[in-house]
Amino acid sequence: MRQVLSTFKDSWKTFLAVAAVLSLQLISAGQLGLCGAVLIGMLLNFFYWLSTAGRLEAAAQAPAAQAKRIMLVGLLLRLLMLFAVLAVAVHISTRLFLATAVSFGVFYLTALFVLARSEVKRKF
């Protein structure tokens, strides 16, 4: 978990640049009110990865049978958190839901890129 957090801490400029690009696209399209959805998607993604890292660390230190259960419960909790936030967003407005979902997806892919890049840097 510390490794994931330190990787994200070291690459905060990448996440800030992605947030700025998404927000500027929304502002240029006249959708200033949806910039909050970018923040919601970013925070949702942060907690998603934080939960994933915590569950992986707990599973690594547990016996095999318990590790499987830890990972399954973690998956269900992460999906439940994702669906709960998106369900609230869809009840507010469809545009807010789409902006939040797209923002989560973009930040998820950015996090995958950052983690892959840090792993490549470590090996070579």
Side-chain angles (χ1 to χ4, degrees):
M1 186 163 142
R2 290 184 190 115
Q3 186 178 10
V4 171
L5 284 176
S6 68
T7 300
F8 285 161
K9 189 176 88 173
D10 293 342
S11 60
W12 65 271
K13 292 177 187 176
T14 305
F15 291 104
L16 187 62
V18 170
V21 167
L22 287 176
S23 296
L24 286 175
Q25 286 178 343
L26 286 171
I27 291 170
S28 68
Q31 301 294 327
L32 183 63
L34 294 179
C35 288
V38 171
L39 179 65
I40 292 169
M42 183 173 70
L43 290 175
L44 182 61
N45 181 53
F46 175 72
F47 288 120
Y48 185 90
W49 280 103
L50 191 65
S51 173
T52 300
R55 291 289 173 167
L56 281 173
E57 186 175 337
Q61 298 172 358
Q66 189 178 6
K68 181 180 177 182
R69 184 169 182 232
I70 289 172
M71 291 307 293
L72 286 175
V73 169
L75 175 65
L76 290 176
L77 288 175
R78 287 188 307 273
L79 290 177
L80 182 67
M81 175 183 63
L82 180 65
F83 288 132
V85 170
L86 292 179
V88 168
V90 80
H91 283 295
I92 295 172
S93 80
T94 306
R95 292 183 335 180
L96 182 71
F97 166 76
L98 290 174
T100 304
V102 167
S103 175
F104 174 79
V106 168
F107 282 107
Y108 185 84
L109 292 175
T110 304
L112 284 177
F113 171 74
V114 164
L115 288 173
R117 186 181 66 185
S118 73
E119 192 62 28
V120 167
K121 281 183 181 179
R122 243 179 254 144
K123 288 190 177 186
F124 296 109

